C-alpha cells in the first residue's frame, strides 16, 4: 500500500519512522499489545468502554451519549523517560472545551481528547472534533496546546500518487504558524514523521500526540 501524501516541507529535515509491532486487530476492552516508532515505544495500553453522561475524569466533556477511554505510556528509549497519556473518544457529544474555549458541537460530531504531562513544558491537551467525512472537512477542529503554546491539527485524506481522496482521514499533521512539525499516518501499519530541528521535549510531546492517534478507534453507531 502507498504512504499517505504528506506536505512537501515534511520531506526536509525530517525523520520518517514506520510503526513496528502494531496489530491490525484492535481490542475494545482490556490490555493491548504495545508497539513503537523510532525511539518511542507505546506500552501498558489499556482500553475501557463506558456508557454514561457527564465529565470524564480530567477531560472536559459534557452531554455525551457514549465514549471510550484508553491510556498508555510513551517511553523515549534514548532519554530513558516515560510519559503517561490519558485519552477519551466520544460519540454524539454536544459541548466541549477546545484549547480552553467552550465550543458547541453538532449532534453527530465525534470527539477525541487527550491529556499528558511534561516536566519541562507542563500539561498538554490534544482535542479533535471530526465531522467524519472528507466533504465536511472544513468543520474539522484540532488543537494541541499547553496554554502557552498552541499547534493546529489537520486531517489528511490523500494517498501518495493518487488523485482521489479518501472519504475519511488517513492521518493528521501538526503545524505552527503554517509550518508542519509532525505528521502521523494512522491507516495500514502506520507511520510518523518528525522534524529533526525540534527540541527533545517538543518531539516527545508530538510523539505522545501521534501515539494517541495511532490508538484512536473511531466510534460509530455500530460499536458504541
Amino acid at each position: 500500500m502507498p504512504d499517505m501524501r504528506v506536505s512537501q516541507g515534511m520531506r526536509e529535515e525530517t525523520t520518517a519512522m514506520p510503526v513496528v509491532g502494531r496489530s491490525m486487530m484492535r481490542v475494545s476492552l482490556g490490555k493491548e499489545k504495545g508497539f513503537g516508532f523510532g525511539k518511542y515505544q507505546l506500552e501498558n495500553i489499556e482500553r475501557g468502554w463506558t456508557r454514561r453522561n457527564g465529565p470524564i475524569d480530567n477531560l472536559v466533556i459534557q452531554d455525551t451519549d457514549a465514549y471510550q477511554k484508553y491510556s498508555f505510556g510513551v517511553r523515549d528509549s534514548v532519554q530513558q523517560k516515560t510519559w503517561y497519556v490519558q485519552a477519551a473518544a466520544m460519540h454524539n457529544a454536544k459541548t466541549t472545551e477546545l484549547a480552553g474555549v467552550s465550543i458547541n458541537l453538532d449532534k453527530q460530531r465525534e470527539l477525541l481528547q487527550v491529556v499528558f504531562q511534561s516536566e519541562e513544558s507542563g500539561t498538554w491537551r490534544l482535542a479533535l472534533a471530526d465531522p467524519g467525512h472528507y466533504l465536511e472537512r472544513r468543520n474539522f477542529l484540532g488543537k494541541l496546546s499547553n496554554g502557552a503554546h498552541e499547534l493546529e491539527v489537520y486531517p489528511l485524506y490523500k494517498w501518495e500518487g493518487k488523485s482521489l481522496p479518501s472519504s475519511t482521514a488517513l492521518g493528521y499533521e501538526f503545524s505552527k504558524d503554517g509550518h508542519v512539525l509532525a505528521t502521523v499516518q494512522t491507516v495500514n501499519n502506520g507511520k510518523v514523521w518528525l522534524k529533526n530541528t525540534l527540541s527533545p521535549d517538543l518531539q516527545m510531546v508530538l510523539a505522545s500526540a501521534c501515539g494517541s492517534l495511532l490508538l484512536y478507534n473511531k466510534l460509530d453507531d455500530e460499536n458504541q
Side-chain angles (χ1 to χ4, degrees):
M1 293 293 291
D3 278 335
M4 175 186 70
R5 186 185 303 175
V6 299
S7 300
Q8 182 63 35
M10 291 306 291
R11 302 180 188 278
E12 303 171 358
E13 298 181 328
T14 301
T15 298
M17 299 174 285
V19 175
V20 178
R22 181 185 183 215
S23 175
M24 299 301 290
M25 298 296 294
R26 308 286 188 86
V27 302
S28 59
L29 184 66
K31 292 184 178 181
E32 185 172 324
K33 180 184 176 182
F35 56 88
F37 50 91
K39 65 178 182 177
Y40 303 102
Q41 184 69 29
L42 275 60
E43 53 193 17
N44 299 321
I45 301 167
E46 293 271 4
R47 293 188 185 273
W49 286 89
T50 308
R51 293 178 182 224
R52 67 175 175 82
N53 292 326
I56 308 169
D57 299 334
N58 59 344
L59 302 173
V60 184
I61 297 293
Q62 297 176 0
D63 300 324
T64 303
D65 289 348
Y67 64 82
Q68 176 197 23
K69 295 191 295 184
Y70 60 98
S71 63
F72 60 98
V74 181
R75 181 170 57 86
D76 182 333
S77 61
V78 174
Q79 298 190 65
Q80 292 296 308
K81 64 180 179 182
T82 301
W83 290 1
Y84 180 67
V85 183
Q86 291 180 290
M90 281 65 65
H91 187 70
N92 290 347
K94 298 176 182 179
T95 61
T96 185
E97 283 194 13
L98 193 66
V101 178
S102 181
I103 295 178
N104 292 324
L105 301 164
D106 297 334
K107 175 73 174 175
Q108 298 301 320
R109 192 184 299 276
E110 182 162 336
L111 301 172
L112 175 69
Q113 289 216 34
V114 181
V115 62
F116 52 88
Q117 180 81 25
S118 162
E119 292 183 0
E120 180 177 335
S121 53
T123 300
W124 287 84
R125 291 179 180 273
L126 169 66
L128 303 183
D130 189 354
H133 197 280
Y134 175 77
L135 296 178
E136 300 177 23
R137 61 193 183 281
R138 290 189 177 182
N139 294 321
F140 184 94
L141 299 171
K143 303 283 185 183
L144 174 62
S145 175
N146 67 348
H149 303 283
E150 183 175 285
L151 280 66
E152 300 285 344
V153 187
Y154 298 102
L156 299 174
Y157 297 91
K158 293 186 177 180
W159 296 105
E160 188 66 52
K162 294 187 177 182
S163 58
L164 291 178
S166 168
S167 61
T168 57
L170 305 175
Y172 306 85
E173 66 180 18
F174 298 81
S175 65
K176 176 72 172 177
D177 299 327
H179 300 286
V180 181
L181 307 181
T183 302
V184 57
Q185 176 181 305
T186 56
V187 294
N188 299 334
N189 291 330
K191 198 170 187 177
V192 176
W193 293 261
L194 271 180
K195 281 286 188 181
N196 299 328
T197 52
L198 303 178
S199 68
D201 182 73
L202 186 52
Q203 287 188 346
M204 185 76 165
V205 167
L206 290 165
S208 301
C210 289
S212 69
L213 294 172
L214 287 164
L215 287 168
Y216 179 21
N217 281 345
K218 287 279 189 173
L219 294 166
D220 55 36
D221 292 330
E222 294 182 357
N223 64 14
Q224 283 189 46

